[in-house]
């Protein structure tokens, strides 16, 4: 920490982001439409080739200065004729590296090279039967003559550009794939990246390994080794500080830093008293017993209780929790500096690739580091400066989890369900008090125990686990009302608990989980019996939208 003023608004600046895939040759996915590109980048990574996502209007000179081993042009929702259609810069096709275009990417490639892509009225959506032409194809390689592919398009290429060979068709689409081997240009109207394309992975493999000459060498071991090297190169023998929340991302950063620069790291765990039952003890146990780091737990539950007293407005609660976090954190950093007699220069953060992509673009993210999760809107106080280190900024969430497992983090941390930074405070409607926190914590523990058990049963029965599990976020909410009940011979006037359990893949949309009545029944019976102050349980059956997952 230093007191030099950095950006005028007091925002942190990532002076030294960990370099990307270093020795690995990378594949760049040019994104013509949000969700398509991410999926492709993930498929490529699944094949153990490092890949990055860039926006379609990437600066070509920047790309050419450090050329990738191959390019993939994603699909996109636009028609090449739409006035605001994302344009393909033809220079992308002239970088001297192989290019593979999917769907919109194929159409953009064809239009740029003089092919014909007429507007059509007949689209093709869903599975289609692909028949290979009787020519050899490097892309389709030894996949079957007839196979199922996934289509999702209206326009299509009706005349391939000069030099291209048409390699397959479907009943609706005469040019379903094409290639110009001499120029290293390949394209499919269908989507090899989706699972419904039966041989999509083989085609991607053919492109990566045969056409582009890449090797499947981006493995967990190489990720750990490279990240450790990069961290060591970056921080030298200086001290690093990390705000540990107990969440997956900050825990994986802590484990990685422990591996890379062990004794130089201090993990500051700000226990604000808003965590779930048993959570602080679990975090402390892992980072004091399993990893060699300097672990500091700051118990500030009382301080937070004071900060939150009398506050009912959800946004004000969030703001206070976030800014108090930084106050505590900076006080701790200053204390450590005084203790050790030397400055702490580096602040490690659990920024992950989706944060980078969402914060504008991969391009912008290099200069605009953001503070994520519960403190994501809170800039550093004026005059405070750390250099940032973000060792996970190139990894997707499931890769972060795999990395955590490879580094030895226990399952309960690596597969923790999402939990908001402001913790239980956003699940207590109205003022947060120690009494309400105790009620919610106990009720929440019951909800988690019962649904964990149910998930476990489901996993055994279906073989589907973890991030793909059907119920992915589940918790209790304490509303600011009371109702009448009767327990024993006495009338009660106590709080209800709302149970919230949702199915989702990315938290952007969610549906309420169709939990069996028996599970809901057990939860309700146990909560009323075990949690003092609760006499009623209700189940939230709202999807998102229109609801949100959290209640505040
Ligand atoms: P909503 O409630 O908006 O939540 O449907 C979507 C996902 O984000 C989590 N969430 C938060 N995470 N700080 C966080 O770090 C927050 O303030 C916050 N609010 C919601 C929520 O648990 C869900 O997974």
């Amino acid at each position: 920490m230093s007191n030099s003023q950095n950006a005028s608004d007091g925002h942190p600046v990532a002076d030294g982001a960990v370099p990307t895939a270093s020795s690995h040759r990378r594949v760049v996915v040019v994104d013509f439409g949000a969700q398509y590109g991410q999926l492709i980048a993930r498929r490529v990574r699944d094949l153990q080739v490092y890949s990055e996502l860039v926006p379609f209007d990437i600066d070509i000179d920047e790309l050419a200065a450090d050329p990738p081993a191959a390019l993939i042009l994603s699909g996109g929702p636009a028609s090449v004729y739409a006035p605001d259609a994302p344009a393909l810069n033809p220079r992308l096709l002239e970088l001297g590296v192989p290019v593979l275009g999917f769907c919109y990417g194929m159409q953009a490639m064809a239009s740029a090279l003089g092919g014909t892509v007429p507007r059509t009225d007949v689209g093709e959506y869903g599975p289609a039967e692909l028949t290979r032409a009787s020519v050899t194809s490097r892309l389709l390689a030894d996949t079957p003559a007839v196979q199922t592919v996934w289509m999702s398009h209206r326009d299509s290429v009706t005349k391939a550009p000069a030099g291209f060979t048409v390699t397959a068709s479907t009943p609706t689409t005469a040019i379903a794939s094409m290639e110009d081997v001499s120029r290293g240009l390949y394209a499919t109207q269908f989507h090899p990246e989706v699972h419904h394309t039966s041989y999509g992975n083989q085609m991607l493999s053919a492109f990566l390994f045969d056409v582009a000459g890449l090797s499947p060498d981006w493995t967990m071991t190489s990720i750990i080794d490279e990240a450790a090297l990069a961290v060591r190169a970056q921080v030298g023998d200086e001290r690093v500080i990390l705000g540990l929340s107990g969440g997956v991302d900050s825990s994986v950063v802590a484990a990685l830093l422990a591996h890379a620069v062990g004794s130089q790291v201090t993990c500051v765990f700000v226990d604000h008293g808003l965590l779930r039952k048993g959570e602080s003890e679990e975090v402390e146990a892992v980072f004091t017993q399993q990893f060699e780091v300097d672990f500091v737990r700051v118990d500030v539950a009382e301080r937070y209780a004071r900060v939150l007293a009398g506050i009912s407005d959800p946004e004000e609660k969030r703001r206070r929790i976030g800014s108090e976090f930084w106050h505590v954190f900076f006080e701790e950093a200053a204390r450590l500096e005084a203790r050790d007699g030397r400055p702490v220069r580096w602040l490690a953060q659990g920024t992950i690739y989706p944060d980078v992509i969402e914060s504008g673009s991969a391009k912008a993210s290099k200069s605009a580091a953001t503070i994520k999760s519960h403190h994501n809107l809170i800039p550093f106080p004026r005059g405070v400066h750390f250099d940032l280190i973000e060792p996970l900024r190139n990894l997707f969430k499931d890769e972060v989890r795999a990395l955590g497992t490879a580094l030895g983090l226990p399952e309960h941390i690596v597969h923790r369900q999402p939990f908001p930074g402001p913790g239980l405070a956003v699940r207590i409607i109205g003022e947060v008090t120690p009494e309400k926190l105790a009620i919610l914590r106990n009720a929440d523990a019951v909800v988690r125990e019962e649904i964990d058990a149910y998930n476990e049963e489901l996993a055994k029965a279906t073989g589907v686990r973890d991030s793909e599990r059907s119920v992915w976020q589940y918790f209790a909410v304490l509303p600011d009302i009371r109702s009448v009940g009767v327990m024993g011979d006495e009338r009660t006037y106590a709080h209800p608990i709302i149970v919230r359990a949702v199915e989702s893949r990315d938290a952007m949309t969610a549906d309420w989980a169709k939990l069996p009545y028996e599970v809901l029944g057990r939860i309700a019976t146990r909560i009323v019996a075990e949690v003092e102050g609760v006499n009623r349980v209700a189940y939230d059956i709202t999807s998102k939208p229109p609801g949100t997952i959290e209640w505040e």
Side-chain angles (χ1 to χ4, degrees):
M1 180 165 65
S2 78
N3 285 331
S4 64
Q5 180 64 55
N6 52 20
S8 57
D9 61 357
H11 272 281
V13 176
D15 291 0
V18 171
T20 48
S22 68
S23 62
H24 288 280
R25 296 172 67 213
R26 75 195 199 287
V27 170
V28 162
V29 177
V30 183
D31 192 7
F32 289 98
Q35 76 272 34
Y36 298 89
Q38 280 205 31
L39 186 58
I40 299 169
R42 300 176 72 127
R43 288 283 166 270
V44 172
R45 290 175 175 211
D46 287 346
L47 293 168
Q48 299 187 329
V49 172
Y50 180 70
S51 88
E52 275 177 4
L53 197 61
V54 301
F56 70 94
D57 55 356
I58 173 102
D59 178 341
I60 310 281
D61 292 326
E62 198 181 297
L63 196 63
D66 179 20
L71 282 176
I72 298 181
L73 313 179
S74 86
S79 155
V80 281
Y81 292 106
D84 53 353
L88 167 67
N89 185 329
R91 284 185 58 206
L92 279 173
L93 305 177
E94 294 157 9
L95 288 174
V97 304
V99 183
L100 172 59
F102 298 156
C103 194
Y104 180 85
M106 164 161 167
Q107 296 164 13
M109 183 192 286
S111 333
L113 298 173
T116 311
V117 190
R119 271 172 226 253
T120 49
D121 290 332
V122 190
E124 193 180 19
Y125 301 95
E129 189 178 272
L130 183 85
T131 305
R132 292 183 57 170
S134 32
V135 290
T136 54
S137 162
R138 275 185 90 173
L139 185 68
L140 304 184
D142 52 5
T143 62
V146 177
Q147 53 183 288
T148 303
V149 296
W150 191 261
M151 287 286 196
S152 179
H153 67 106
R154 181 161 291 278
D155 302 340
S156 59
V157 178
T158 52
K159 183 169 159 286
F164 276 80
T165 303
V166 176
T167 53
S169 60
T170 68
T172 316
T173 305
I175 306 182
S177 61
M178 60 181 196
E179 60 191 50
D180 178 348
V181 174
S182 62
R183 281 191 285 176
L185 302 177
Y186 298 78
T188 66
Q189 181 55 63
F190 55 89
H191 289 269
E193 75 275 24
V194 305
H195 288 302
H196 311 280
T197 294
S198 308
Y199 295 89
N201 251 350
Q202 282 85 330
M203 296 171 197
L204 259 182
S205 300
F207 178 70
L208 300 174
F209 306 131
D210 177 33
V211 173
L214 286 152
S215 321
D217 55 10
W218 194 67
T219 60
M220 251 331 128
T221 321
S222 74
I223 294 173
I224 294 176
D225 291 349
E226 284 170 15
L229 274 178
V231 168
R232 281 186 211 117
Q234 204 175 359
V235 307
D237 63 357
E238 291 173 307
R239 291 206 61 81
V240 186
I241 195 168
L242 164 74
L244 198 58
S245 68
V248 181
D249 304 339
S250 68
S251 300
V252 175
V253 173
L256 184 62
L257 291 177
H259 173 78
V261 287
S263 56
Q264 289 162 246
V265 184
T266 299
C267 293
V268 176
F269 174 46
V270 177
D271 187 355
H272 47 26
L274 305 171
L275 292 178
R276 294 171 295 181
K277 195 170 189 169
E279 219 160 27
S280 354
E281 294 74 20
E282 282 170 8
V283 173
E284 178 158 9
V286 169
F287 288 99
T288 51
Q289 290 162 22
Q290 206 186 326
F291 291 94
E292 295 261 325
V293 286
D294 180 27
F295 177 89
V296 179
R297 172 172 165 171
V298 213
D299 283 305
V300 280
E302 280 180 21
R303 198 164 146 172
Y304 267 81
R306 280 197 299 278
V307 161
L308 291 174
I311 305 301
S312 308
D313 179 68
E315 283 318 306
E316 182 61 13
K317 276 193 217 170
R318 272 195 165 73
R319 202 192 58 70
R320 288 181 176 230
I321 292 168
S323 66
E324 191 62 14
F325 174 88
W326 282 121
H327 284 307
V328 175
F329 189 82
F330 290 125
E331 279 168 27
E332 211 44 41
R335 206 185 57 75
L336 288 169
E337 291 185 344
R339 180 194 76 180
D340 300 342
R342 58 188 291 214
V344 178
R345 175 171 166 201
W346 298 95
L347 171 68
Q349 284 211 120
T351 312
I352 69 172
Y353 200 41
D355 305 326
V356 173
I357 296 171
E358 279 155 29
S359 71
S361 68
K363 203 169 48 175
S365 66
K366 278 189 192 131
S367 54
T370 46
I371 300 296
K372 69 166 304 215
S373 76
H374 57 302
H375 24 91
N376 50 6
L377 297 174
I378 312 291
F380 284 1
R382 271 186 189 278
V384 169
H385 176 80
F386 285 103
D387 290 334
L388 290 184
I389 174 166
E390 300 179 311
L392 308 181
R393 64 178 289 127
N394 299 316
L395 301 181
F396 286 111
K397 190 82 180 186
D398 48 352
E399 295 165 341
V400 170
R401 291 190 208 275
L403 180 61
T405 302
L407 288 162
L409 280 174
E411 176 86 349
H412 66 81
I413 287 196
V414 168
H415 289 289
R416 206 175 95 132
Q417 55 169 309
F419 184 63
L424 298 179
V426 296
R427 295 177 181 171
I428 292 175
I429 313 306
E431 187 186 359
V432 177
T433 64
E435 297 71 35
K436 286 186 186 170
L437 271 169
I439 292 177
L440 183 60
R441 196 174 279 122
N442 289 329
D444 184 73
V446 173
V447 174
R448 284 194 293 144
E449 268 170 42
E450 290 299 332
I451 299 183
D452 281 345
Y454 168 65
N455 265 336
E456 196 53 39
E457 271 170 40
L458 264 190
K460 274 197 198 123
T462 60
V464 175
R465 294 198 75 87
D466 305 325
S467 55
E468 290 180 23
R469 68 192 167 202
S470 61
V471 190
W472 94 315
Q473 196 170 359
Y474 39 99
F475 51 87
V477 176
L478 181 60
D480 199 16
I481 50 170
R482 284 168 202 256
S483 74
V484 174
V486 54
M487 287 165 96
D489 293 332
E490 288 187 25
R491 277 169 73 82
T492 56
Y493 188 56
H495 286 289
I497 280 288
I498 312 289
V499 176
R500 182 78 165 136
V502 294
E503 298 170 1
S504 176
R505 292 191 78 85
D506 53 11
M508 302 296 283
T509 59
D511 197 5
W512 60 282
K514 313 297 179 294
L515 293 175
Y517 287 156
E518 304 80 71
V519 176
L520 290 171
R522 267 201 305 273
I523 291 174
T525 310
R526 277 194 59 194
I527 289 180
V528 174
E530 296 173 25
V531 183
E532 214 184 312
V534 177
N535 64 354
R536 198 180 285 272
V537 175
Y539 188 44
D540 181 352
I541 55 167
T542 320
S543 59
K544 173 184 178 177
T548 49
I549 295 176
E550 303 291 346
W551 269 47
E552 276 198 345

